[in-house]
Amino acid sequence: MDNFFITQEPYIHIGNKRFLGRVGNTLIKSLGLRYTLHQHLDWTTDMNSVEQRINYFHLLDAVIAYHVPGDVVELGCYTGQCALLFQKIIADHNSDKQLHLYDSFDTHFSFKGNIEQELVSNFERANLKQPVLHKGYFEQTLPANLPEQICFAHIDCGFGGEPQQHREIMLHCLTHLYPRLSRGAVVVLMDYHDDQTGDKGADANPGVKLACDAFFADRPEKVASLYGNEYSHGFFRKL
Ligand SMILES: C[S@@+](CC[C@H](N)C(=O)[O-])C[C@H]1O[C@@H](n2cnc3c(N)ncnc32)[C@H](O)[C@@H]1O
């Protein structure tokens, strides 16, 4: 992957032929029409949207630029689609922040091979420093394997389970991350979906909002929704 924001070019399928969307877009433009072709995300392979990647970029970039102390953590890394972007941002800042990734590596979605190995290969192919991997269920790896101080965390542990089960996992993650967050640290919550905001993104894991409502009921921080187009997410900043 050499583009950390758009992972694939759009294709149009007509019969059994496949045309690059760019050709279609050139044609549309030449006709003077104010539209562009855009390929829908594939829910089984694309773990985040372009808009979400832009949000990750600005949030992590700012945390590093303003010297918020601590390391970078992702709970639920799968094959590393977000993690590659996080490491790229760390590298572009020449920062000594360490990226720590946590996953059981046993949820396959549509991927058939060894997920952990694929993650390592993705970092090799992108020519990025390898992250520190913490293999296992969060219930075993947290809090023992968390860094002492954290400046940025991404919680992305949707696996298609029941909302109440997901709520409990999210609460476990939030409970153990929270005391290690530096002042000004940012936590991005994948799948945070608040109907009240008019968010048109998917409400793929309602357990995230259920957990946040309970966790922040008696804390000063508030979760804000971010525009993620097809997917939903939100974030809070540690006060
Ligand atoms: C949607 S994927 C993460 C996608 C990833 N952030 C990316 O950008 O490629 C969710 C991941 O959470 C992991 N996961 C879910 N519950 C977990 C738990 N209790 N302990 C460890 N990993 C878990 C799954 O194994 C899966 O890889």
Side-chain angles (χ1 to χ4, degrees):
M1 187 168 84
D2 57 5
N3 182 323
F4 291 84
F5 292 96
I6 299 170
T7 52
Q8 54 187 340
E9 292 203 81
Y11 284 95
I12 319 164
H13 296 262
I14 300 175
N16 59 1
K17 290 212 176 348
R18 198 169 79 139
F19 298 92
L20 195 58
R22 214 185 314 142
V23 178
N25 281 329
T26 305
L27 183 66
I28 289 171
K29 197 172 171 193
S30 71
L31 293 172
L33 300 173
R34 298 178 67 177
Y35 294 94
T36 50
L37 294 166
H38 168 78
Q39 183 166 332
H40 279 289
L41 293 181
D42 179 344
W43 297 71
T44 62
T45 55
D46 299 319
M47 295 293 131
N48 35 74
S49 63
V50 172
E51 291 77 3
Q52 288 181 319
R53 289 168 170 271
I54 294 168
N55 292 334
Y56 298 133
F57 174 83
H58 287 293
L59 289 167
L60 177 54
D61 180 75
V63 153
I64 299 175
Y66 287 106
H67 305 290
V68 178
D71 284 332
V72 178
V73 162
E74 187 179 43
L75 306 181
C77 59
Y78 190 50
T79 58
Q81 292 180 21
C82 294
L84 289 160
L85 175 60
F86 299 155
Q87 187 57 50
K88 171 80 173 138
I89 298 166
I90 294 171
D92 284 353
H93 277 272
N94 287 323
S95 168
D96 60 1
K97 291 191 181 303
Q98 179 64 58
L99 177 62
H100 293 263
L101 304 180
Y102 302 76
D103 207 299
S104 58
F105 295 114
D106 66 357
T107 306
H108 280 259
F109 299 106
S110 64
F111 184 74
K112 298 279 187 290
N114 179 317
I115 297 165
E116 184 180 358
Q117 187 51 53
E118 181 67 9
L119 181 140
V120 171
S121 304
N122 283 338
F123 273 76
E124 275 168 11
R125 279 191 285 266
N127 207 14
L128 289 169
K129 179 186 163 196
Q130 290 291 334
V132 179
L133 299 184
H134 303 271
K135 183 175 181 170
Y137 290 102
F138 305 141
E139 295 80 344
Q140 295 146 4
T141 55
L142 272 55
N145 295 7
L146 283 174
E148 286 303 315
Q149 269 193 314
I150 298 168
C151 68
F152 179 94
H154 184 221
I155 313 182
D156 184 3
C157 55
F159 60 100
E162 286 297 313
Q164 284 304 326
Q165 189 189 359
H166 197 218
R167 175 186 182 273
E168 296 315 308
I169 296 171
M170 286 295 301
L171 281 173
H172 179 80
C173 295
L174 286 167
T175 301
H176 293 298
L177 275 182
Y178 190 81
R180 298 185 187 226
L181 296 172
S182 302
R183 188 155 181 262
V186 163
V187 178
V188 183
L189 304 142
M190 182 64 180
D191 298 327
Y192 180 86
H193 179 93
D194 184 354
D195 273 336
Q196 305 297 318
T197 63
D199 187 351
K200 298 284 185 292
D203 189 7
N205 284 295
V208 178
K209 172 113 183 3
L210 292 175
C212 289
D213 287 349
F215 190 77
F216 291 104
D218 56 0
R219 288 187 170 81
E221 294 85 3
K222 293 281 164 272
V223 178
S225 294
L226 291 164
Y227 178 71
N229 201 357
E230 296 94 328
Y231 295 153
S232 299
H233 68 177
F235 84 108
F236 70 90
R237 202 181 295 277
K238 180 78 183 296
L239 297 175

